[in-house]
């Protein structure tokens, strides 16, 4: 499928020139982007593999060419200044700036319990009206962790640590 | 190692591994060459650094050792003596920074 056809079908495409090869990616759906962002957040130690898998799913072209390029220049596809970051940004283009800030705060907190706790406390203090980035990040942490007992335990630990610091 | 034999060693390493990062310790007259970091190696490094950020220096030095294709017999000694040459500092990039840069390539990414 050529570039014009892809653009007509998906609205926008991402063109990346890596190691002399031109690769074309189509945008992720919001659902996929949310899942990828959650996976990046949940397991930062395998973030590169997650980012490359996400890029492969959006890549349109010869799979061998993608794999060869990803083997040679893996960091070009990372979620930090790589193709994956662009794909995630593109997926969140439609979202309001305040929500984007919340997503960034949620992604940025990663496994830092202090930052998670700050977000949770902001979410706990939220009482209607426009939500701050931290409160939104807190809501995302709750949504992310609610489905497992281990996740709930981590949330609990975050709270205990924040309260222990006298916040 | 004489200059001509070093040249031929580097040439052979370049033929076998492609792009190399070459480091000269002029005072000691020692040269090291490093092959590219593989995707598996970078994933492994990130995993270890994520789990134990305090071991970042060790992880970087081990990654350099894995990539060292010329001068590897003396690597441990030089890594102990000049660790920052390999893992870099805030002001000056080390071998690992150049290897990471190579793993990114000169990528240009744009939305159209």
């Amino acid at each position: 499928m050529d570039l014009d056809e892809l653009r007509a079908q998906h609205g926008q495409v991402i063109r990346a020139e890596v190691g002399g090869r031109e690769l074309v990616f189509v945008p992720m759906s919001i659902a996929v982007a949310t899942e990828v962002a959650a996976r990046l957040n949940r397991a930062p130690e395998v973030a590169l593999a997650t980012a490359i898998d996400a890029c492969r799913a959006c890549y349109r072209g010869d799979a061998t060419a993608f794999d060869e390029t990803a083997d040679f220049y893996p960091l070009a596809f990372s979620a930090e200044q790589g193709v994956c970051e662009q794909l995630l940004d593109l997926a969140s283009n439609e979202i309001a700036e305040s929500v984007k800030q919340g997503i960034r705060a949620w992604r940025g907190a990663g496994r830092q319990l202090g930052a998670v706790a700050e977000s949770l406390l902001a979410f706990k203090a939220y009482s209607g009206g426009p939500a701050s980035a931290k409160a939104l990040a807190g809501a995302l942490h709750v949504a992310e962790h609610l489905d497992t007992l281990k996740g709930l335990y981590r949330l609990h630990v975050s709270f205990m640590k924040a309260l222990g610091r006298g916040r | 190692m004489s200059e001509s034999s070093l040249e031929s060693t580097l040439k052979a390493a370049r033929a076998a591994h492609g792009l190399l990062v070459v480091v000269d310790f002029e005072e000691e007259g020692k040269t090291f060459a490093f092959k590219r970091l593989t995707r598996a190696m970078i994933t492994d490094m990130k995993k270890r650094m994520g789990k134990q950020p305090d071991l970042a220096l060790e992880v970087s030095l081990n990654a350099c050792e894995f990539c060292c294709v010329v001068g590897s017999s003396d690597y441990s000694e030089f890594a102990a003596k000049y660790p920052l040459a390999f893992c870099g500092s805030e002001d000056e990039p080390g071998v690992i920074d150049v290897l990471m840069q190579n793993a990114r390539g000169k990528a240009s990414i744009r939305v159209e």
Side-chain angles (χ1 to χ4, degrees):
Chain A
M1 200 180 282
D2 78 352
L3 206 59
D4 290 334
E5 242 176 289
L6 284 174
R7 216 177 278 132
Q9 203 174 329
H10 297 277
Q12 281 177 309
V13 292
I14 289 177
R15 278 170 76 176
E17 200 188 306
V18 184
R21 267 201 182 121
E22 193 170 87
L23 308 170
V24 179
F25 302 85
V26 298
M28 292 175 183
S29 67
I30 299 261
V32 172
T34 311
E35 175 58 30
V36 170
R39 259 192 278 159
L40 290 171
N41 210 33
R42 241 187 339 247
E45 66 275 9
V46 288
L48 185 62
T50 304
I52 292 174
D53 285 347
C55 291
R56 189 192 281 113
C58 297
Y59 173 68
R60 292 293 176 270
D62 176 24
T64 318
F66 176 85
D67 288 335
E68 277 174 13
T69 315
D71 278 341
F72 229 62
Y73 303 103
L75 293 183
F77 301 93
S78 76
E80 291 155 11
Q81 299 174 342
V83 173
C84 187
E85 186 189 34
Q86 289 284 340
L87 286 167
L88 289 172
D89 282 352
L90 192 61
S92 59
N93 263 354
E94 302 293 313
I95 302 172
E97 187 52 38
S98 59
V99 179
K100 277 188 204 167
Q101 281 175 5
I103 293 171
R104 272 198 289 273
W106 167 59
R107 263 200 242 157
R111 286 184 171 179
Q112 300 166 42
L113 289 178
V116 174
E118 277 182 10
S119 308
L120 289 173
L121 288 173
F123 178 53
K124 191 168 171 259
Y126 175 69
S127 57
S132 68
K134 271 194 179 160
L136 281 166
L140 287 167
H141 282 300
V142 172
E144 184 193 357
H145 290 103
L146 260 183
D147 59 342
T148 64
L149 196 61
K150 194 178 165 196
L152 280 176
Y153 172 73
R154 281 192 57 222
L155 274 182
H156 177 71
V157 170
S158 308
F159 262 129
M160 289 298 111
K161 285 206 170 179
L163 292 172
R165 273 189 243 132
R167 290 177 186 224
Chain B
M1 199 185 281
S2 74
E3 209 163 292
S4 62
S5 80
L6 175 68
E7 269 305 311
S8 60
T9 310
L10 284 175
K11 207 173 167 185
R14 211 170 287 129
H17 304 288
L19 195 68
L20 294 178
V21 174
V22 180
V23 183
D24 290 313
F25 288 89
E26 281 170 17
E27 278 182 20
E28 281 87 351
K30 185 75 202 163
T31 297
F32 294 94
F34 300 86
K35 64 177 180 178
R36 310 179 62 89
L37 277 168
T38 62
R39 180 168 149 190
M41 192 70 207
I42 295 173
T43 308
D44 188 55
M45 271 177 73
K46 299 240 172 197
K47 202 171 176 177
R48 282 163 195 256
M49 283 183 180
K51 276 187 184 162
Q52 292 169 300
D54 46 325
L55 291 185
L57 184 117
E58 284 302 316
V59 173
S60 301
L61 288 177
N62 286 346
C64 289
E65 186 170 14
F66 172 83
C67 295
C68 187
V69 287
V70 173
S72 52
S73 56
D74 297 318
Y75 176 81
S76 302
E77 184 194 333
F78 277 71
K81 252 188 190 169
Y82 310 110
L84 294 187
F86 299 100
C87 65
S89 61
E90 276 176 26
D91 311 320
E92 282 190 63
V95 172
I96 195 71
D97 300 299
V98 181
L99 289 172
M100 290 297 248
Q101 240 169 20
N102 283 347
R104 191 176 189 278
K106 283 178 184 155
S108 89
I109 306 161
R110 58 187 187 277
V111 179
E112 291 183 355

